Amino acid sequence: MLKRALRRAQRHDKVARNVAELVDTPRGRPGRPSSSLSRQQAAAHGRTSPRPSFGRGALLGLPAMINWHATAGELDDIWKPMVDVLDMGVAGAISPEVRADLDKCVFGVLQGHGHKLAMGRGTTMLTPSGLVVPQGAEYMDMLSQPDVDFGYDDDSVADALNALLTEARGRAAELSCVCLAYHVRMGEPGREAREIEIRKTTELQDKGAVTPPGTIQALAIDLEHRAGHAVAVFLPYDWDTGNGLRIGDLIAGPSHRRIWN
């Protein structure tokens, strides 16, 4: 892993020489077979970019336009009313208990990722994350932070989502709700439908990046409940000329069951 990281640093002119190449790598004993999905398996679950599972069908339910809001003040005071009015009808009839779990996850993601977004464009690493709700619990747990190189590896987000999904599946018997959050680019409402693409962390570090015409940036929140509901929630976001965070109303779209199917 050290050799690979230094090779990437060389490509980006961060180091002059890969000193790890000067030593022989010790060989360890064979371990257990990996339980992670292969890239091909991950693609079948819609976890690589672009995401076929969030294609044109999900975009047909988008509003005609996005209502943008400034985020001056305490962010937690903004998130709760947005979650309370979010229409999750695309997931079918939801019981109050299930809705409480889903709302809890959405609010938790908005708290964590919203803080990073409020710091400004390109000021911090916008990495994916995972939250779970144990059965019968009032609290949430965070899934493990995947061991990937978000700084230099273009495939790091896909690899991280794959690892988070694998961990959630391994804990499925003890959980009631799973939530994965990551950043995407999607078609602007009112324009031609287009597939939603997962953003790379290497791309998100560019402070001068410009969103391509006809697209918007969004935080995707992928929710699944053991009761049989799956829904994707999107938070459109951007920054004004003063690097202040602007957000749009939450949007819910259909998703796929990947944990309990």
Side-chain angles (χ1 to χ4, degrees):
M1 181 176 292
L2 177 59
K3 287 182 179 180
R4 186 175 62 181
L6 288 174
R7 287 193 200 107
R8 291 178 187 137
Q10 280 183 297
R11 289 200 299 269
H12 292 270
D13 296 324
K14 301 294 186 182
V15 297
R17 188 176 186 184
N18 187 348
V19 294
E21 301 283 2
L22 302 178
V23 298
D24 295 326
T25 304
R27 296 180 177 275
R29 292 177 296 178
R32 295 180 298 175
S34 173
S35 60
S36 298
L37 301 179
S38 67
R39 289 278 176 86
Q40 292 76 19
Q41 290 172 317
H45 288 281
R47 284 292 166 203
T48 55
S49 177
R51 296 191 55 192
S53 58
F54 286 123
R56 296 176 181 270
L59 297 182
L60 294 179
L62 287 179
M65 63 177 292
I66 294 196
N67 296 316
W68 292 100
H69 312 280
T71 56
E74 184 63 38
L75 284 175
D76 285 359
D77 295 336
I78 298 173
W79 303 136
K80 189 176 188 315
M82 293 178 67
V83 174
D84 288 344
V85 301
L86 176 62
D87 182 2
M88 292 191 187
V90 293
I94 300 177
S95 70
E97 293 77 17
V98 171
R99 177 65 195 243
D101 285 340
L102 298 175
D103 285 356
K104 190 185 307 179
C105 283
V106 174
F107 185 75
V109 167
L110 293 177
Q111 280 187 308
H113 286 260
H115 173 70
K116 288 186 174 183
L117 290 172
M119 294 174 68
R121 188 194 305 270
T123 57
T124 186
M125 192 74 74
L126 300 179
T127 56
S129 67
L131 289 175
V132 296
V133 179
Q135 288 197 68
E138 294 295 325
Y139 61 89
M140 294 179 291
D141 284 337
M142 289 194 68
L143 293 175
S144 303
Q145 184 64 37
D147 183 16
V148 298
D149 187 352
F150 288 116
Y152 294 104
D153 190 349
D154 284 347
D155 295 320
S156 60
V157 175
D159 291 343
L161 288 171
N162 177 33
L164 292 168
L165 178 63
T166 300
E167 180 183 348
R169 281 176 167 166
R171 297 179 57 185
E174 66 185 76
L175 303 176
S176 62
C177 190
V178 173
C179 167
L180 303 182
Y182 46 96
H183 296 266
V184 300
R185 179 178 289 131
M186 56 198 297
E188 186 177 354
R191 305 251 186 155
E192 180 183 358
R194 58 188 295 161
E195 286 189 348
I196 295 173
E197 299 179 14
I198 296 177
R199 301 289 304 279
K200 301 174 182 178
T201 49
T202 49
E203 173 192 30
L204 288 165
Q205 296 175 76
D206 184 1
K207 291 185 179 182
V210 177
T211 304
T215 67
I216 58 173
Q217 303 174 91
L219 172 64
I221 306 172
D222 212 348
L223 299 152
E224 183 177 351
H225 200 281
R226 70 180 301 114
H229 304 284
V231 60
V233 175
F234 301 95
L235 173 74
Y237 66 83
D238 202 348
W239 293 274
D240 58 28
T241 55
N243 214 20
L245 177 64
R246 298 189 310 149
I247 57 172
D249 294 333
L250 293 174
I251 305 166
S255 186
H256 296 268
R257 293 171 62 190
R258 302 178 180 90
I259 311 297
W260 300 279
N261 51 19

